[in-house]
Amino acid sequence: MTKGFDQRLAALQRAVKEPRDPEARARVLAALDGKSGMLVAVASEAVVGGDEEDPVVDRPLLERLPAAFERLMIDAVQRDPQCRGKVAIAKTLRRAEAEGDEVFLRGVRHVQMEPVWGGRVDTAAELRGVCLMAMIEGHHPRAMVEAAHLLADPELAARTAAARALGCSGRAEVAEPLLRLRVQVGEDEAEVLGECFAGLLQLAPGPSLDYVAGFLGAREEVVAEAAALALGESRQSAALAPLVEQAGRSVGKGRRRVVLLAIALLRTEEAWSYLVTLVEQGPVSAAAEAIEALAAFRHDERLRARVHATVRERGAASLLQAFDERF
């Protein structure tokens, strides 16, 4: 970047904080009408104000975003490296709940290969994910088709976003089979698997619980751990039984630790009582892992006191040390 550009950027950053000031507004408008993705990204901050629940939209600025997006699609690598401007436009249109079908449809399909040391990398994965979520929230007729494409995207961020969007879609009749298919064909990334399992448990909690629990004993650690954490984060009381059963089967220290954490994440009295009993009566190694799992909720004073009393009564030096380190 040149010194002149840095000065323009700094002036624009000040201007977006005073969008009603004539001189500041002129800077914002000039940036939105320009060809710099970075400046467009900053200027987009002036379009929607207020808080998340009650946004205040500047309509004249909002109306400029689709044209700005189109300009950044021309010579995209030079004008908008890392897709900063296009991502900011898509996020702003989504936050404003504005009509942006053309932007979202172009963005969800956009691939932007940029040079890096030793090759090229696609920098548009985030853009594709943002646009897909906007399409699903807006009930676009092609949303589920585009979600299917993104579930098979080469980029981790795009696949993760697709699974998350499907989980939020409320369209169980389409999203459930798509998410199951993604899992069944194989997925190596924990983030994608976690979103797939979480989406299934959200969309169809009844039939999905047994399905997800079936992966607790998977040979691949990444699959088993993603299933355990998704069950815990689902906070379904029925998830406790398969997690407890798996905790008893897990001989690998790492896998048992994750399963015990999943049990803690259920946040139910029954789940926490199981872990406290493990601290009281279980093998020392398992008891230490139960302390570690419960420590995720160390801010709960009642739970902290309960675990502390149990550890003190047991009297094992290693567990007292584990408590002091974790709590």
Side-chain angles (χ1 to χ4, degrees), residues 15-249:
V16 297
K17 298 176 182 178
E18 300 290 340
R20 298 301 177 186
D21 177 80
E23 184 178 345
R25 190 172 185 81
R27 286 189 181 277
V28 172
L29 288 169
L32 290 177
D33 292 341
K35 299 177 181 179
S36 166
M38 182 171 291
L39 294 181
V40 168
V42 174
S44 296
E45 296 174 15
V47 178
V48 183
D51 54 37
E52 290 295 326
E53 295 184 359
D54 188 24
V56 178
V57 180
D58 188 319
R59 295 292 169 184
L61 294 183
L62 182 71
E63 291 170 0
R64 280 177 150 80
L65 295 186
F69 189 90
E70 288 302 316
R71 279 192 298 277
L72 297 181
M73 291 289 277
I74 300 169
D75 196 12
V77 174
Q78 293 300 317
R79 291 185 178 183
D80 190 26
Q82 304 296 314
C83 291
R84 292 186 183 94
K86 293 188 289 294
V87 168
I89 290 170
K91 287 182 175 180
T92 302
L93 288 171
R94 180 186 169 208
R95 186 182 174 200
E97 298 182 351
E99 290 293 334
D101 285 358
E102 291 186 9
V103 167
F104 299 141
L105 196 55
R106 289 203 69 187
V108 79
R109 298 172 179 174
H110 183 59
V111 174
Q112 187 162 312
M113 303 303 296
E114 299 189 24
V116 294
W117 181 260
R120 296 197 305 163
V121 64
D122 178 8
T123 64
E126 182 185 6
L127 174 64
R128 295 197 291 276
V130 171
C131 289
L132 176 63
M133 183 64 84
M135 291 175 70
I136 283 181
E137 290 172 342
H139 306 288
H140 191 285
R142 301 293 295 174
M144 304 307 275
V145 175
E146 298 301 335
H149 283 291
L150 281 201
L151 272 183
D153 197 280
E155 297 296 325
L156 164 64
R159 298 197 307 280
T160 303
R164 183 180 303 119
L166 285 169
C168 297
S169 70
R171 297 279 305 280
E173 73 283 1
V174 180
E176 183 183 1
L178 284 176
L179 291 170
R180 287 196 182 213
L181 179 61
R182 175 68 265 176
V183 174
Q184 292 299 138
V185 298
E187 173 57 63
D188 297 329
E189 299 291 346
E191 290 178 58
V192 182
L193 285 166
E195 291 292 348
C196 286
F197 289 140
L200 287 167
L201 290 165
Q202 180 177 341
L203 286 163
S208 294
L209 194 143
D210 286 343
Y211 175 75
V212 176
F215 290 94
L216 289 173
R219 181 178 302 175
E220 302 85 354
E221 291 290 332
V222 65
V223 177
E225 291 182 4
L229 292 174
L231 286 168
E233 289 167 355
S234 76
R235 302 185 67 172
Q236 291 188 46
S237 58
L240 178 60
L243 286 170
V244 167
E245 182 180 357
Q246 186 60 39
R249 291 178 178 176

